Amino acid sequence: MRFKSTWKRFFSEPGFAVAAIIVAALLIFFILLPLSAVLLRSFGVGAEGFTMEYYQQFFQHSSYFQALLNSVGVGIVTTSIVISISVPFALYVTRTKSTLSKAYRGLSLLPLVAPPFIFSLSLIILFGRRGVVTNYLNDMFGVEFSIYGFWGVVVAQVLGFFPVAYMMIETSLRSMNPSLEHASRDLGASQTRTLFKVSLPLASTSILKASLIVFVMALADFSNPLIIGGETSFLASDAYLLVTGQQNMEMAAVLGVFLIVPSLIVFLFQTYFIKDTDTTSISGSAGNQNASLNKGLQGITFGISTLMTFFIVIMFIMVVLGAFVQIIGVDNTFTLDHFSDQSGWGFIYTSVIVSLFAALLAAGLGLLQGYLTVRKNIPAKKFLEFVALFGLAVPGTVMGIGYVLIFNGPPFFLTGTVLLLVLNMAFRKIGVGLESGISKLQQIDPSMEEASADLGAKPTRTIRKIVMPLLSPAFMSGFVYTFMTAMVSVSSVIFLISPGTNLASAYILNLANQAALGRASAMSVIMIAIVLVCMAILKWLERRSNSGI
């Protein structure tokens, strides 16, 4: 009886019912179906029939198992270093009044607008076989070393993933109720004791969340191991080589399963456990009144922050210099030849178009799903929310393999088309628009929509005149995030591109692999400039509309 009444209420508003069905079908088709295809193919389903042979091969061949150990190892080491740096960095930014702290905050976010492998590119320019530092050490001291391998990947990941952890921890420390720290100091506790007994425990949930996210990102990282991993094997890069080099979809699917499992565990842990144990204390007075660090702690946090900022800046400088000289460190003659790559400009144009449509689709559909989730009684809305958010957690390599399995043959032969690239990027990021929409809708009193309906407005008019203007900030935040990440995304789309639909990020990765560092640097500089210009335009639009992106 309850089941029947639920569906009766659901179809009482036919327009919203149809919209909910369409959103559900799209989520299942473009997120769940590719993941299911990867899981089934790892057992041979769709090829030779059900078998455990490929899992046996995984554990029998030392190279596959070693790839798993290397991926887990690099994840643990990268996470430990990133958190060790992020906490003092966030303390320096939030607990000092230095003007440098504002500059450090801005510079620390630079990696977000660059391709994920840009630090591998910089490390090769500095420490590669013919790198600037390598040549100098070799000439002066006869010292030879190689940046390629496990530790090269760790360094590149630490620099690349640092902003993610830093932003989460900084937000937590900044939103903390300052009266708690002041109360601790008034009761006679030293600042060090207050820091370890009050501040950091209150931020522990954010620190744990940041650790889990960085670990999954490092584990699933595809591009850095491919460029700077050398002969060291890693799960994501090996899966890509199995697909492109050996056409061995079954073993690639097995490696994909070993990438999904930790992502799923972390996602479930974060969604259903940590969410309920968040202890961050927020008050209206939070933000600018926290006790400043004493000189000792300020010196330590300043040193760590300065060192990290220096490394980030020097890496970007190397890429910029590499774009404007013949061969950096070997022939430093100024040139613009690296920017005359006509193919590269075409790929950048394609990237902008694909990212633009992906951002519109992800933000629009995310908001629609958020509205249906918060305002309407649709069946299985928690499950659909789970699917959309899990799309964010799935490693790009796995999603790319899943899309190849589904869309590289009849009846859905879409591989190599711009449409598939847009769909792939949009549905991997739809969870951001969904979360933004849900958060915003929970702040809006439903009585405004009820008043509109009481005055005789139809649902479409209410949405157009009331809901959409109020949700514009949420739309913009989903749009900006999706656009930025789509521009520099590579791990998933690299499986789906064709010569006619290549993207700039995949092209740069290919150039870096071919040691064409000058052209790779030039294309990276152009891409970073485009992302920064787009960000500036959106910021300008935000100020004009006071939308608060």
Side-chain angles (χ1 to χ4, degrees):
M1 196 64 186
R2 185 179 176 184
F3 177 80
K4 190 175 177 180
S5 63
T6 300
W7 285 100
K8 189 176 179 180
R9 282 201 306 273
F10 175 62
F11 284 109
S12 63
E13 296 179 291
F16 292 118
V18 171
I21 291 170
I22 291 173
V23 170
L26 291 173
L27 289 175
I28 291 170
F29 197 72
F30 290 107
I31 296 178
L32 275 190
L33 200 58
L35 296 180
S36 303
V38 172
L39 182 62
L40 292 173
R41 184 56 71 92
S42 71
F43 290 103
V45 177
E48 303 168 356
F50 184 85
T51 177
M52 295 294 290
E53 178 188 345
Y54 301 108
Y55 283 93
Q56 291 176 354
Q57 285 184 26
F58 180 86
F59 289 104
Q60 286 172 352
H61 288 72
S62 59
S63 61
Y64 294 136
F65 192 65
Q66 189 60 48
L68 173 63
L69 295 180
N70 289 337
S71 295
V72 173
V74 86
I76 293 172
V77 175
T78 297
T79 303
S80 304
I81 298 174
V82 166
I83 297 301
S84 301
I85 297 172
S86 298
V87 172
F89 201 114
L91 281 170
Y92 180 70
V93 171
T94 59
R95 298 295 190 272
T96 64
K97 297 176 181 177
S98 165
T99 51
L100 267 179
S101 64
K102 294 179 181 176
Y104 283 5
R105 184 176 188 272
L107 293 171
S108 69
L109 302 180
L110 272 179
L112 295 176
V113 301
F117 47 81
I118 194 169
F119 294 110
S120 291
L121 196 62
S122 304
L123 288 171
I124 291 173
I125 291 173
L126 283 170
F127 305 105
R129 294 183 182 90
R130 297 171 64 190
V132 177
V133 176
T134 307
N135 284 342
Y136 175 77
L137 291 177
N138 195 15
D139 293 343
M140 294 296 293
F141 308 106
V143 176
E144 291 187 5
F145 68 94
S146 173
I147 192 66
Y148 298 93
F150 183 92
W151 290 106
V153 175
V154 168
V155 174
Q157 288 185 343
V158 167
L159 292 166
F161 300 151
F162 162 74
V164 178
Y166 159 70
M167 282 194 302
M168 296 178 68
I169 297 170
E170 191 236 320
T171 302
S172 177
L173 288 173
R174 194 179 289 280
S175 61
M176 202 174 288
N177 189 341
S179 62
L180 298 171
E181 291 181 351
H182 288 301
S184 173
R185 298 297 303 277
D186 291 344
L187 290 171
S190 66
Q191 188 167 56
T192 305
R193 184 175 174 82
T194 300
L195 182 66
F196 285 98
K197 293 292 184 182
V198 177
S199 307
L200 292 182
L202 283 172
S204 60
T205 301
S206 296
I207 294 172
L208 181 57
K209 282 183 178 178
S211 304
L212 292 171
I213 289 175
V214 171
F215 174 74
V216 170
M217 291 175 73
L219 180 73
D221 185 22
F222 157 78
S223 51
N224 286 312
L226 196 65
I227 294 176
I228 206 170
E231 296 179 355
T232 308
S233 56
F234 295 90
L235 282 179
S237 54
D238 280 13
Y240 169 72
L241 295 174
L242 282 167
V243 173
T244 57
Q246 303 177 27
Q247 299 294 310
N248 189 346
M249 299 300 295
E250 290 74 25
M251 278 311 301
V254 172
L255 268 60
V257 169
F258 281 99
L259 287 171
I260 291 178
V261 171
S263 304
L264 178 62
I265 293 171
V266 168
F267 177 71
L268 293 174
F269 187 69
Q270 247 187 250
T271 306
Y272 298 108
F273 179 72
I274 297 181
K275 195 172 184 179
D276 296 327
T277 59
D278 197 336
T279 56
T280 303
S281 174
I282 300 174
S283 77
S285 60
N288 299 318
Q289 302 175 20
N290 298 95
S292 296
L293 297 176
N294 60 36
K295 287 186 178 178
L297 286 172
Q298 193 168 329
I300 294 171
T301 55
F302 171 74
I304 294 172
S305 305
T306 302
L307 202 59
M308 189 63 191
T309 307
F310 171 78
F311 275 117
I312 290 174
V313 171
I314 204 72
M315 292 293 156
F316 275 85
I317 289 175
M318 284 298 108
V319 171
V320 174
L321 290 178
F324 287 98
V325 300
Q326 292 288 353
I327 305 174
I328 188 168
V330 178
D331 181 358
N332 293 322
T333 309
F334 177 81
T335 181
L336 293 175
D337 289 348
H338 301 313
F339 290 92
S340 60
D341 186 343
Q342 293 301 319
S343 300
W345 284 102
F347 300 146
I348 285 175
Y349 174 77
T350 308
S351 289
V352 172
I353 297 298
V354 169
S355 302
L356 184 64
F357 282 102
L360 287 172
L361 185 62
L365 274 179
L367 277 193
L368 175 60
Q369 188 185 356
Y371 181 78
L372 295 169
T373 302
V374 175
R375 293 288 193 261
K376 303 297 172 185
N377 289 316
I378 62 171
K381 60 183 179 183
K382 284 293 180 188
F383 171 73
L384 295 175
E385 184 183 350
F386 173 88
V387 173
L389 293 177
F390 186 53
L392 284 170
V394 175
T397 308
V398 179
M399 197 64 95
I401 295 171
Y403 270 58
V404 170
L405 291 172
I406 297 294
F407 300 108
N408 198 34
F412 309 111
F413 192 79
L414 293 174
T415 305
T417 64
V418 170
L419 175 62
L420 190 62
L421 295 174
V422 170
L423 292 170
N424 177 272
M425 289 181 175
F427 281 93
R428 284 194 65 209
K429 309 299 179 188
I430 192 173
V432 177
L434 169 65
E435 281 291 278
S436 301
I438 289 176
S439 300
K440 192 67 184 176
L441 282 164
Q442 287 173 342
Q443 298 170 4
I444 299 173
D445 194 335
S447 61
M448 298 176 71
E449 297 156 56
E450 293 167 1
S452 174
D454 292 342
L455 290 171
K458 294 181 179 178
T460 51
R461 184 176 174 81
T462 301
I463 288 177
R464 189 160 49 87
K465 294 292 185 180
I466 304 293
V467 178
M468 288 179 67
L470 292 173
L471 287 181
S472 59
F475 175 85
M476 291 305 293
S477 67
F479 178 87
V480 170
Y481 177 83
T482 307
F483 181 82
M484 283 178 57
T485 53
M487 278 294 293
V488 300
S489 175
V490 66
S491 60
S492 182
V493 294
I494 199 165
F495 292 91
L496 311 173
I497 57 176
S498 67
T501 59
N502 202 355
L503 299 176
S505 54
Y507 181 63
I508 297 170
L509 180 67
N510 190 38
L511 288 174
N513 266 331
Q514 295 173 4
L517 299 182
R519 289 161 63 197
S521 299
M523 290 297 108
S524 298
V525 169
I526 295 168
M527 183 181 288
I528 293 169
I530 289 173
V531 174
L532 288 174
V533 168
C534 291
M535 289 292 299
I537 293 172
L538 290 169
K539 201 70 183 172
W540 177 73
L541 291 173
E542 172 209 355
R543 287 179 179 171
R544 278 181 64 89
S545 62
N546 292 321
S547 57
I549 297 173

